[in-house]
């Protein structure tokens, strides 16, 4: 069964940091490039960052230089280190494959940036 479980969100002040984690089923993690997405209230889900199996990364312009995506292949886990957080980063964050048909979405993890 394909499964994605995100964690690590929370409430943080502007300028703060958070590290998100996503554990994925071996059936997708070992095959696909992975990505983090986010959805803010009233907005469409958007792509935040991607990482290939070999570790090549790409970022949305809005997070470039502040966020770092990484993966631990042995643990089937993808991470998102978020630094210099801004109120506009507030959203529910999800992980999923970067290309092709999406796996069933997990519950996501809420990130709230507020003073």
């Amino acid at each position: 069964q394909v499964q994605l479980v995100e964690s690590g969100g929370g409430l943080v002040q502007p300028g703060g940091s958070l590290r998100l984690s996503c554990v994925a089923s071996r059936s997708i993690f070992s095959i696909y490039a992975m990505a983090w997405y986010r959805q803010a209230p009233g907005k469409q889900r958007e792509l935040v960052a991607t990482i290939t199996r070999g570790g090549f990364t790409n970022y949305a312009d809005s997070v470039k230089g502040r966020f770092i995506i990484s993966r631990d292949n042995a643990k089937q886990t993808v991470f998102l280190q978020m630094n210099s957080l801004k109120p506009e980063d507030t959203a529910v964050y999800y992980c999923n494959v970067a290309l092709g048909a999406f796996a069933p979405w997990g519950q996501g993890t809420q990130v709230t940036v507020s003073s």
Side-chain angles (χ1 to χ4, degrees):
Q1 181 180 358
V2 177
Q3 194 171 18
L4 297 162
V5 180
E6 301 93 347
S7 62
L11 173 63
V12 63
Q13 292 186 343
S17 298
L18 283 174
R19 190 190 195 210
L20 307 184
S21 300
C22 170
V23 180
S25 302
R26 182 181 297 276
S27 59
I28 59 172
F29 193 87
S30 62
I31 298 173
Y32 296 98
M34 297 297 294
W36 281 97
Y37 302 82
R38 67 185 180 186
Q39 187 167 20
K43 295 186 177 181
Q44 289 189 334
R45 190 170 292 164
E46 64 174 348
L47 178 65
V48 175
T50 62
I51 185 166
T52 67
R53 287 180 296 160
F56 290 99
T57 59
N58 198 22
Y59 299 91
D61 288 343
S62 59
V63 306
K64 201 170 294 184
R66 300 188 297 120
F67 290 11
I68 301 171
I69 188 172
S70 61
R71 62 192 289 164
D72 184 334
N73 291 334
K75 296 183 179 179
Q76 298 160 218
T77 302
V78 60
F79 304 98
L80 186 68
Q81 177 67 44
M82 306 188 296
N83 302 317
S84 302
L85 282 161
K86 303 176 181 180
E88 51 263 44
D89 294 318
T90 295
V92 180
Y93 284 71
Y94 304 86
C95 68
N96 213 308
V97 299
L99 295 172
F102 289 125
W105 292 91
Q107 82 287 351
T109 187
Q110 174 71 48
V111 172
T112 302
V113 185
S114 175
S115 55

